[in-house]
Amino acid sequence: MELTPLFQWIDTQLISLVEWLGLPIWFAELLEMVLAAVAVLLMAFLIVLFLVWWERKLSGHFQQRLGPMRTGWHGWLQTIADGLKLFQKEDIIPTNVDRKVFFWAPVVCFASSYAAFAVIPWGEGVIPTDLNIGILYILSITTFVVISLLMAGWSSNNKYALLGGMRSAAQIVSYEVPLTLSVLGVIMMTQSLSMVAIVEAQESVFSWFIWRQPLGFAIYLVAAVAETNRAPFDIPEAEQELVAGFNIEYSGMKFAMFFLAEFLNLFLVSAIATTLFLGGWQGPFLPSWLWFILKTTFVIFVIIWFKWTYPRLRVDQLMEFCWKVLLPLAFLNLIISGFLFRG
Amino acid sequence: MPTAYKLNPISGIKNLLIGLWVTLRHLFSKSITLQYPTERWEMPERSRGVVVLLSDKETGDLNCTACILCAKACPVGAIRIERHRGDDKRWKLDSFSIDNTICCYCGLCQEACNFDAIKLTPKYEFSSYDKASLIYDVNRLQDLGRDVDYVPTAKKAAPKPVAAAPAGDAATAVAPQAPAAEPTPTVAPMPEKPVEPKGEGE
Amino acid sequence: MNEATPSQYSEEFEVNMGPQHPSTHGVLRLMLRMNGENIVRATPYIGYLHRAIEKICENRTYAQCIPLLDRFEYVTSMASEEVFVLATERLAAVEVPERAEYLRVIMLEFNRIASHLIFLGTFSLDLGAITPFLYCLREREQIMDLFEMTSGQRLTYNYIRVGGVAYDIPEDFLPLARKFVDTFQHRIDDYEAILTQNPIFLARTKNVGIISKDIAVNYAASGPVLRASGVKWDLRRDDPYSIYDRFKFDIPTGTVGDTWDRYMVRVQEMRQSNEIVRQALDQLPQGDYKTKMKAVFKPPVGECYARIENARGEMGCHIISDGSTKPYRVKLRGGSFCHTQLIPAIAPGMMIADLVATFASLDVILPEVDR
């Protein structure tokens, strides 16, 4: 049950519609873009709905609890209920905040994670846009998250928030380096930055890059967890130290935006891991998009598993780990793959 | 500054994996959650929850003799009793209230009581939106206590004279019945026929 | 490395940590003078939980004091009952039946385990590991169940009384207690598997918040905090009260006095307490659980100090009696109070995350500090 024919059908319908209206043909392309953007947005909301529930259930069962049980079957409506609650909440803007920056921080945060979805290959032929610099685009657009967290931390006019913002800036900028280097290994082998090309380079199970780049995958996974500010690298919001870090003053929908972005980022890094190392949509029997979702969900499971097992690192240890352990390893990985797979 | 601790990478990775294994094992074990409003924990018999006043099982009257021993035993002063001396010179209960907002559920009132009149029951669901409604009056306390089972203790079936009763006939008014033969405890004398118990006891 | 010297480009700032903060374990307020992430000065402010327990005791009879003292150190209420009752019994020379002593030891050691479980849970929580917290509370619930079926309450027991204990144990207590004792040692293995050798845990706790032997002794530290610094001092061995001299147990000590040592001492203490409970359950004699006391209890004129080894160090109670039904003066001593004083001494130069870890490892609970 591939989705490509559906898209083609929508495409022809749109073109005929535009022709019937007597509009230029680029208008059809514009419409397609808007449609794709809306579809991705809806998908993003669905993903967050699922992920929040998934994490709560998993964390519950890791701790021999049940997690949400009351809303719907095993609490599957819980996220919607929480979302409705957040919608209703008063949007508090504290007196002494920098209003403009305070307002835009969550928007930037959400927008940057959302924008990165443009190049996620959901399945064979299911990709909003196949940029030829896809992976580079993702790595650069997600960097905006740092700015938003810094904005939030600074504008809140709260010392805990400031500490959280500073921590997150230091952390994300640092971990960007090993993350990019670990991705480089894959790019060297595929000779392409396009997400589709990378997936297509992993035809069979044995040609998945996780086998050819195990060290690269490990580095990527660790750096990705750090990038998403999740435990054991969740120092920017470190509840026991900074109460809630950068989002301490946020409430209502603004908080929900940060929350959305956090889970979108979680999905994003897992999707990239799937694309780069786990063969993307490739897999037998099942339709390609389902394979993609399954693999991504598995990576998310692993990341959640980390979170509910490990304690949190300290801020200086985090930096030390990045620059003294991960970075040399990433370079080592690069050198090894340069030797082993020279074209 | 103390030096940072040197980690062994191999044992480090090994122990990281052990940690993951422990949580994974718990992931597939049965949860221990009790889904409270639908499932309920069976409270142990001795559990000390809401305080009730017990009534005589046959007559349905309160066991309380207004001796105020419980009020004196209460460390927080949650029990308030108003009483007056009746025609037969025994204490009559005017009002009895327990302030559940300050009650500390220590159970000292139950221990102080010689007449099986006051008891802490395993009932625990009595939360309220209104603080004032947590001050239980005598009717409420009696209603709560109606379905509470209690075994009238033999020791308590032979009560001492009422605490503040003056010398004279009133002291022996609540005379002991034969403890072994009669399981029903001696109850507070009924206002209507005050002389009866005395005669019965002798 | 962490020399806290402000330059013209940076400026120190104050952070008010608490009384409402996730890791201050109640209502401790710490004023932190910070230089970036580093602490220059930490000043604890206490008193947010002051309930004047000592003063209220002067207006209560001895029996009425006991439920009040449950609130003195509510994580190990049995201990705060025991210390008061012990002082009263010594004052009035009350004989305690054998069985009551055993029951007390069982309850006290169970309560020590419960308290250390809370420590372990909140400690790992403060380090960011949430899951062990839930595991610890799961075991603690079982202990609470045992307490509830015996005393009627889960937290404020009012169980240990002058001259014995309030009630004898119910029938199904012994099998359940034995089952707990047998399974619990494996549970500790689980906690240790997650934490003890975990490299992140080691990095966060090893050589963090070192309290040297000198500092520990000079600041009157006691209990696990003192033992972690390498002083083998345990009142159960060095000043035996109740019947502790009848049981075999080790006194675990640390070497460095860092956060990891304090964690380790407590984990091993749980194992030892478990063994004490096992021995006590095996030796439990038949007999009375309470001496017959007079209806109105009046100890003779005099004064008495009793101290016991609590989960949080030495807990003491000084009673002055004027011969009436109420104590003339009650003075309580809790380990937490002394341990809170350690914070200004060891905090400078730490990072804020270290302070959280160190504070959690001191296992301070505020009701015991403020009373």
Side-chain angles (χ1 to χ4, degrees):
Chain A
M1 208 191 76
E2 291 299 341
L3 294 175
T4 328
L6 178 72
F7 293 147
Q8 277 163 356
W9 180 78
I10 293 175
D11 196 29
T12 49
Q13 292 299 311
L14 274 178
I15 288 171
S16 57
L17 179 76
V18 168
E19 277 172 353
W20 180 71
L21 287 172
L23 290 166
I25 197 73
W26 57 262
F27 198 78
E29 283 174 24
L30 188 71
L31 271 180
E32 271 178 46
M33 279 184 211
V34 172
L35 265 185
V38 170
V40 168
L41 189 65
L42 283 179
M43 197 64 202
F45 278 120
L46 276 182
I47 287 166
V48 174
L49 282 187
F50 170 72
L51 282 187
V52 173
W53 177 80
W54 176 239
E55 163 139 42
R56 293 179 71 166
K57 289 309 272 191
L58 272 182
S59 66
H61 284 279
F62 274 129
Q63 300 165 349
Q64 285 201 326
R65 297 184 287 117
L66 289 169
M69 287 297 278
R70 301 256 165 247
T71 42
W73 180 81
H74 279 254
W76 68 277
L77 287 167
Q78 187 64 48
T79 326
I80 297 172
D82 287 351
L84 284 177
K85 185 202 76 177
L86 281 176
F87 265 116
Q88 292 171 14
K89 281 191 101 166
E90 185 189 354
D91 187 19
I92 299 168
I93 299 177
T95 323
N96 289 324
V97 298
D98 188 337
R99 279 173 171 266
K100 273 182 195 154
V101 185
F102 188 78
F103 177 81
W104 283 106
V107 180
V108 172
C109 189
F110 177 72
S112 67
S113 336
Y114 171 52
F117 273 70
V119 291
I120 296 291
W122 296 87
E124 202 165 3
V126 192
I127 177 165
T129 168
D130 182 17
L131 279 184
N132 57 356
I133 51 159
I135 186 71
L136 187 65
Y137 166 78
I138 289 185
L139 290 176
S140 42
I141 199 91
T142 48
T143 314
F144 272 99
V145 174
V146 187
I147 299 173
S148 72
L149 300 192
L150 208 53
M151 281 162 76
W154 177 259
S155 67
S156 295
N157 199 7
N158 179 312
K159 284 160 190 165
Y160 287 121
L162 182 62
L163 280 174
M166 290 304 181
R167 281 179 174 196
S168 74
Q171 174 185 346
I172 298 182
V173 169
S174 307
Y175 276 84
E176 203 84 337
V177 183
L179 186 86
T180 316
L181 286 175
S182 67
V183 170
L184 267 186
V186 175
I187 296 169
M188 277 162 68
M189 292 169 67
T190 51
Q191 310 269 325
S192 170
L193 289 168
S194 153
M195 299 294 264
V196 174
I198 292 172
V199 176
E200 278 166 356
Q202 314 174 57
E203 278 289 335
S204 69
V205 176
F206 299 104
S207 65
W208 288 4
F209 283 116
I210 186 173
W211 312 124
R212 293 191 270 170
Q213 293 270 346
L215 190 57
F217 178 69
I219 294 165
Y220 176 83
L221 200 61
V222 172
V225 175
E227 281 282 290
T228 49
N229 292 337
R230 288 183 69 83
F233 305 102
D234 60 342
I235 55 156
E237 39 186 281
E239 193 198 335
Q240 285 76 22
E241 294 148 32
L242 301 185
V243 191
F246 57 86
N247 60 28
I248 189 168
E249 296 288 5
Y250 283 90
S251 63
M253 274 322 283
K254 292 206 184 71
F255 172 75
M257 294 267 247
F258 276 120
F259 199 67
L260 273 176
E262 191 189 321
F263 278 89
L264 283 187
N265 277 332
L266 171 64
F267 181 82
L268 208 60
V269 293
S270 314
I272 299 169
T274 310
T275 312
L276 295 183
F277 297 98
L278 297 175
W281 68 71
Q282 312 267 13
F285 313 123
L286 297 173
S288 58
W289 54 271
L290 194 57
W291 268 115
F292 179 82
I293 300 269
L294 283 179
K295 287 174 186 173
T296 309
T297 314
F298 176 73
V299 179
I300 292 170
F301 167 75
V302 172
I303 294 178
I304 291 177
W305 190 10
F306 287 164
K307 169 162 181 175
W308 297 100
T309 306
Y310 295 138
R312 177 189 307 123
L313 279 164
R314 204 171 60 207
V315 60
D316 60 325
Q317 291 162 347
L318 191 84
M319 303 307 263
E320 214 172 271
F321 181 65
C322 175
W323 294 104
K324 292 186 183 167
V325 180
L326 275 190
L327 197 63
L329 279 178
F331 275 121
L332 186 73
N333 180 50
L334 214 56
I335 292 166
I336 293 173
S337 29
F339 271 109
L340 287 183
F341 307 107
R342 53 175 179 255
Chain B
M1 265 314 274
T3 48
Y5 180 70
K6 287 274 177 299
L7 291 167
N8 177 354
I10 294 168
S11 88
I13 291 170
K14 194 185 112 195
N15 281 293
L16 284 178
L17 294 177
I18 291 176
L20 285 179
W21 167 242
V22 172
T23 41
L24 189 70
R25 228 176 47 219
H26 282 95
L27 176 64
F28 294 109
S29 63
K30 200 173 172 304
S31 332
I32 52 165
T33 306
L34 184 87
Q35 298 213 52
Y36 161 61
T38 47
E39 302 164 34
R40 276 187 170 76
W41 195 255
E42 199 179 318
M43 302 300 280
E45 207 180 322
R46 287 180 192 173
S47 170
R48 298 203 297 262
V50 71
V51 189
V52 301
L53 286 182
L54 298 174
S55 317
D56 188 284
K57 276 176 191 154
E58 283 158 19
T59 58
D61 292 327
L62 282 178
N63 288 355
C64 182
T65 56
C67 67
I68 69 163
L69 278 182
C70 53
K72 278 185 175 167
C74 183
V76 290
I79 302 177
R80 274 168 200 240
I81 298 175
E82 281 171 28
R83 57 178 185 173
H84 68 275
R85 214 182 272 286
D87 299 334
D88 57 339
K89 301 211 172 153
R90 271 188 237 119
W91 290 111
K92 300 281 183 298
L93 199 61
D94 291 333
S95 77
F96 189 109
S97 74
I98 291 179
D99 188 348
N100 275 306
T101 56
I102 56 172
C103 176
C104 67
Y105 304 99
C106 59
L108 288 179
C109 49
Q110 181 185 342
E111 285 165 33
C113 186
N114 286 326
F115 304 97
D116 289 318
I118 191 167
K119 190 176 186 314
L120 280 83
T121 54
K123 294 178 184 172
Y124 55 95
E125 288 157 318
F126 53 100
S127 53
S128 154
Y129 285 106
D130 182 15
K131 267 190 171 181
S133 67
L134 284 171
I135 303 173
Y136 290 176
D137 62 357
V138 65
N139 297 327
R140 182 86 194 262
L141 291 166
Q142 193 177 10
D143 285 346
L144 279 168
R146 287 217 195 273
D147 58 338
V148 175
D149 265 350
Y150 67 99
V151 185
T153 43
K155 180 190 86 183
K156 284 177 179 175
K160 292 178 293 184
V162 179
D169 286 348
T172 49
V174 200
Q177 292 179 318
E182 286 281 326
T184 44
T186 313
V187 293
M190 278 133 246
E192 292 83 21
K193 29 179 182 172
V195 203
E196 304 275 296
K198 185 185 169 192
E200 211 177 282
E202 288 161 3
Chain C
M1 181 172 87
N2 284 323
E3 273 306 308
T5 46
S7 73
Q8 67 188 105
Y9 303 110
S10 66
E11 132 180 29
E12 289 182 357
F13 60 99
E14 298 225 312
V15 172
N16 189 11
M17 192 169 156
Q20 309 293 335
H21 187 278
S23 62
T24 49
H25 294 235
V27 284
L28 177 69
R29 175 171 164 228
L30 288 170
M31 276 305 266
L32 302 179
R33 185 111 188 127
M34 310 270 293
N35 180 15
E37 286 266 344
N38 296 317
I39 291 161
V40 182
R41 193 172 61 230
T43 321
Y45 289 85
I46 60 169
Y48 289 87
L49 209 57
H50 179 59
R51 293 148 300 165
I53 285 184
E54 292 172 359
K55 190 71 190 167
I56 297 175
C57 280
E58 294 170 16
N59 291 315
R60 299 283 182 272
T61 63
Y62 285 87
Q64 286 175 339
C65 283
I66 295 170
L68 193 66
L69 283 154
D70 281 334
R71 277 85 180 162
F72 163 48
E73 216 274 45
Y74 51 57
V75 183
T76 56
S77 301
M78 287 288 182
S80 37
E81 289 169 12
E82 164 79 3
V83 70
F84 178 81
V85 167
L86 206 62
T88 316
E89 280 168 356
R90 283 188 193 162
L91 193 62
V94 178
E95 281 290 314
V96 183
E98 190 95 326
R99 185 174 172 85
E101 292 279 25
Y102 272 94
L103 289 179
R104 280 184 190 182
V105 166
I106 291 170
M107 296 304 166
L108 284 170
E109 291 307 311
F110 265 144
N111 214 332
R112 188 188 310 277
I113 294 176
S115 162
H116 281 348
L117 281 173
I118 288 241
F119 155 77
L120 193 56
T122 51
F123 180 54
S124 65
L125 196 64
D126 282 351
L127 294 177
I130 302 163
T131 305
F133 177 67
L134 274 293
Y135 295 167
C136 290
L137 286 203
R138 176 190 63 193
E139 260 66 72
R140 180 170 174 271
E141 279 302 298
Q142 295 177 2
I143 298 181
M144 297 289 116
D145 287 345
L146 288 174
F147 285 157
E148 192 182 19
M149 72 166 65
T150 312
S151 71
Q153 286 285 30
R154 299 175 83 77
L155 205 60
T156 49
Y157 314 108
N158 192 14
Y159 182 65
I160 296 175
R161 304 287 175 84
V162 179
V165 293
Y167 315 99
D168 204 348
I169 46 175
E171 261 174 38
D172 42 356
F173 180 89
L174 281 179
L176 280 173
R178 268 184 216 286
K179 198 175 139 218
F180 176 84
V181 168
D182 288 339
T183 51
F184 184 60
Q185 44 197 4
H186 306 300
R187 301 294 195 184
I188 305 180
D189 294 342
D190 266 4
Y191 313 143
E192 286 214 67
I194 298 181
L195 293 176
T196 306
Q197 291 297 330
N198 184 309
I200 302 174
F201 184 77
L202 287 175
R204 283 298 304 277
T205 54
K206 276 276 186 187
N207 293 350
V208 166
I210 293 180
I211 299 171
S212 66
K213 214 182 251 189
D214 284 349
I215 293 183
V217 172
N218 287 339
Y219 277 77
S222 53
V225 177
L226 182 67
R227 288 195 284 276
S229 300
V231 185
K232 204 164 186 170
W233 174 258
D234 189 323
L235 291 176
R236 288 175 293 175
R237 182 199 65 167
D238 297 308
D239 181 13
Y241 53 95
S242 192
I243 46 162
Y244 272 105
D245 43 359
R246 299 187 198 173
F247 304 108
K248 278 200 208 75
F249 57 95
D250 291 339
I251 298 164
T253 50
T255 47
V256 194
D258 57 7
T259 306
W260 192 82
D261 275 347
R262 287 192 282 278
Y263 156 81
M264 212 51 212
V265 163
R266 290 204 175 88
V267 169
Q268 286 169 2
E269 267 186 34
M270 281 202 275
R271 293 184 193 276
Q272 295 304 326
S273 291
N274 203 31
E275 286 312 306
I276 296 177
V277 173
R278 190 197 301 278
Q279 293 172 33
L281 287 175
D282 289 341
Q283 299 171 14
L284 184 66
Q286 294 298 323
D288 280 346
Y289 61 92
K290 197 175 184 184
T291 3
K292 195 88 181 129
M293 303 286 291
K294 273 190 216 148
V296 180
F297 175 67
K298 278 186 186 169
V301 181
E303 54 188 287
C304 181
Y305 179 74
R307 55 180 184 172
I308 64 167
E309 182 71 29
N310 182 27
R312 281 171 190 74
E314 182 181 325
M315 182 188 263
C317 178
H318 188 180
I319 298 179
I320 304 178
S321 159
D322 56 358
S324 70
T325 55
K326 297 167 182 173
Y328 177 75
R329 173 84 171 94
V330 174
K331 170 80 182 84
L332 299 164
R333 183 222 192 263
S336 297
F337 183 72
C338 302
H339 298 158
T340 314
Q341 297 182 72
L342 281 163
I343 293 171
I346 56 175
M350 276 183 183
M351 304 193 89
I352 191 167
D354 284 346
L355 179 72
V356 169
T358 310
F359 183 63
S361 77
L362 292 174
D363 195 17
V364 170
I365 64 156
L366 271 296
E368 200 186 7
V369 178
D370 294 341
R371 283 163 223 151

